[in-house]
Amino acid sequence: MMGPAHSLSGAAAWLGVGAAAAAADREMPWPVLVVGALICAGAALAPDLDHKSATISRAFGPVSKALCEIVDKLSFAVYKATKKPGDARRTGGHRTLTHTWLWAVMIGGGASALAVLGGRWAVLALLFIHMVLAVEGLLWRAARVSSDVLVWLLGATSAWILAGVLDKPGNGSDWLFTAPGQEYLWLGLPILLGALVHDIGDALTVSGCPILWPIPVGRKRWYPIGPPKAIRFRAGSWVEMKVLMPVFMLLGGVGGAAALNVI
């Protein structure tokens, strides 16, 4: 899928988690619901860091472009080192390592550890990165005609304000994990979820997605999971723009309302 659909699906997924949490009597404070949805919307772009034309690879200028080169080469190296006889020959790392459940768990766990061990500045850095990506994904038409600096300023301002809101007692810095020293441990959850939602979205397209790696399926270790080919679609097609994106918005609205006990 394309960036806007990925971001919308990420936000909708976190709002759905909020509804489930409310049903399980672990209701999210509204700042956690909002911040988590924005983080998840940004994180749903992150697996495409292995592609030079992706939104995330362009979002932070030379830094993200250089990181894209590293991730692409790393992904390709892992693919070559672990592929089985049935896996296809490739010339690049797109839709390999960063599009797996293991990568999602690693970046989610790493983000949680960074948030807990790195203190306030680590939290601000995580928020800044994902706020910028959320702006690029959810407001893609506006972001395309804006300068990178304006988007970065919006991301930095949003991160500072949201961190201040979350820090207030009862606003959710210790949501779900309440022991002393576990503030913001939950930040890795929307990041993990965003990556998984991205992978599921790509699995719906023509190429499928090797979500299960490194678990082998038959003669392939990088088996492209997906529905029957007859109902797959091409990224950016009318199915994505005219059907899936409105569905994601509707599901997100319902999930958010349920999470806030409006319905």
Side-chain angles (χ1 to χ4, degrees):
M1 290 197 299
M2 304 297 285
H6 278 310
S7 285
L8 275 176
S9 67
W14 185 256
L15 294 170
V17 169
D25 293 326
R26 298 303 298 268
E27 185 174 340
M28 294 180 185
W30 71 264
V32 173
L33 187 69
V34 173
V35 173
L38 291 172
I39 291 175
C40 203
L45 299 177
D48 276 344
L49 189 57
D50 59 5
H51 194 295
K52 65 181 180 180
S53 298
T55 300
I56 185 174
S57 300
R58 296 179 284 105
F60 299 96
V63 174
S64 53
K65 289 179 181 178
L67 190 56
C68 170
E69 291 286 340
I70 295 170
V71 171
D72 179 46
K73 290 178 180 178
L74 172 64
S75 298
F76 186 45
V78 172
Y79 181 86
K80 289 195 298 182
T82 63
K83 70 185 184 72
K84 295 185 68 176
D87 289 310
R89 296 183 63 182
R90 301 181 61 95
T91 57
H94 181 48
R95 283 204 187 184
T96 55
L97 180 61
T98 62
H99 287 67
T100 65
W101 70 269
L102 185 57
W103 179 270
V105 171
M106 288 172 58
I107 62 170
S112 287
L114 183 63
V116 171
L117 300 176
R120 180 173 178 78
W121 288 107
V123 170
L124 286 170
L126 288 170
L127 289 175
F128 167 70
I129 291 168
H130 290 90
M131 292 308 108
V132 169
L133 293 176
V135 170
E136 293 278 5
L138 297 174
L139 303 178
W140 63 293
R141 291 189 184 278
R144 280 186 177 182
V145 298
S146 302
S147 71
D148 286 340
V149 174
L150 289 177
V151 176
W152 298 341
L153 286 174
L154 179 57
T157 303
S158 301
W160 188 270
I161 292 172
L162 292 172
V165 172
L166 287 168
D167 281 340
K168 293 181 180 179
N171 275 6
S173 63
D174 60 349
W175 174 73
L176 197 60
F177 304 99
T178 58
Q182 292 185 347
E183 292 81 8
Y184 293 108
L185 185 59
W186 62 268
L187 277 184
L189 296 177
I191 294 173
L192 184 157
L193 180 62
L196 289 178
V197 168
H198 178 108
D199 296 345
I200 294 169
D202 278 354
L204 300 176
T205 63
V206 173
S207 300
C209 189
I211 302 172
L212 294 181
W213 182 88
I215 302 170
V217 178
R219 298 178 65 249
K220 296 182 179 182
R221 193 177 302 278
W222 297 89
Y223 186 85
I225 297 296
K229 291 187 177 181
I231 59 175
R232 298 186 192 186
F233 58 88
R234 293 190 177 276
S237 68
W238 67 270
V239 175
E240 180 179 329
M241 299 296 184
K242 303 297 184 181
V243 178
L244 291 182
M245 288 179 66
V247 168
F248 294 151
M249 286 188 272
L250 176 61
L251 292 177
V254 172
L260 296 172
N261 292 316
V262 175
I263 58 174

